[in-house]
Amino acid sequence: MNRAYRLAAASTLGVILLAGGATAAVGAPLATTQTAGAVTQKATLTAKASVSSVQEREAFRITGTSTGLKPATKVTLQNKQGAKWVSLPSATTVAQDGSYATSYAMRDKLGFKGKKQFRVVGGGAVSPVFTVNVR
């Protein structure tokens, strides 16, 4: 019985290694995904504000780049309000070269003073958080 169990386990392991490689056999996360034989990168976004501090209701610009997103993918600016991320009326699309730019003016919802946290989301990717101080 013990020998039959070892043989079955060895056969199963061999099939797993042939089908998916050693990383799939141990369950390690893969940095890339495979689709129909082609390897694609995980989508990423960068984002930064044109200024670190603004007056209430003053407009500022957000620029960034993307990798792994198709041109014309919609990206949206979000603001952290309490524990929730809220989409703002500031959206744009990714250009052919992977860049994007949008602007936003602090309005009624965000018109109070202090440090505000922002991020950009789109195509399943989320940028790192950046901060703008409202004076």
Side-chain angles (χ1 to χ4, degrees):
M1 178 74 168
N2 213 4
R3 184 175 179 197
Y5 177 74
R6 284 192 307 237
L7 182 60
S11 296
T12 303
L13 182 59
V15 170
I16 290 171
L17 288 173
L18 287 174
T23 56
V26 295
L30 298 176
T32 59
T33 58
Q34 293 184 1
T35 307
V39 176
T40 58
Q41 287 184 330
K42 182 179 175 186
T44 62
L45 286 168
T46 65
K48 69 177 183 175
S50 59
V51 295
S52 60
S53 183
V54 294
Q55 294 288 340
E56 286 184 277
R57 302 184 191 274
E58 181 182 349
F60 62 97
R61 191 164 174 79
I62 298 96
T63 58
T65 59
S66 68
T67 57
L69 293 180
K70 293 180 181 179
T73 299
K74 181 180 175 182
V75 293
T76 303
L77 180 65
Q78 291 186 332
N79 172 244
K80 190 165 189 178
Q81 297 178 7
K84 293 169 42 173
W85 285 98
V86 177
S87 293
L88 300 173
S90 179
T92 189
T93 56
V94 173
Q96 193 72 25
D97 65 356
S99 66
Y100 68 89
T102 187
S103 61
Y104 185 73
M106 304 302 263
R107 293 196 172 80
D108 295 337
K109 286 184 181 178
L110 305 176
F112 52 94
K113 297 178 181 182
K115 291 186 178 186
K116 308 296 177 211
Q117 292 182 320
F118 295 93
R119 70 182 186 181
V120 176
V121 298
V126 179
S127 77
V129 175
F130 62 94
T131 304
V132 175
N133 187 33
V134 180
R135 302 181 302 240

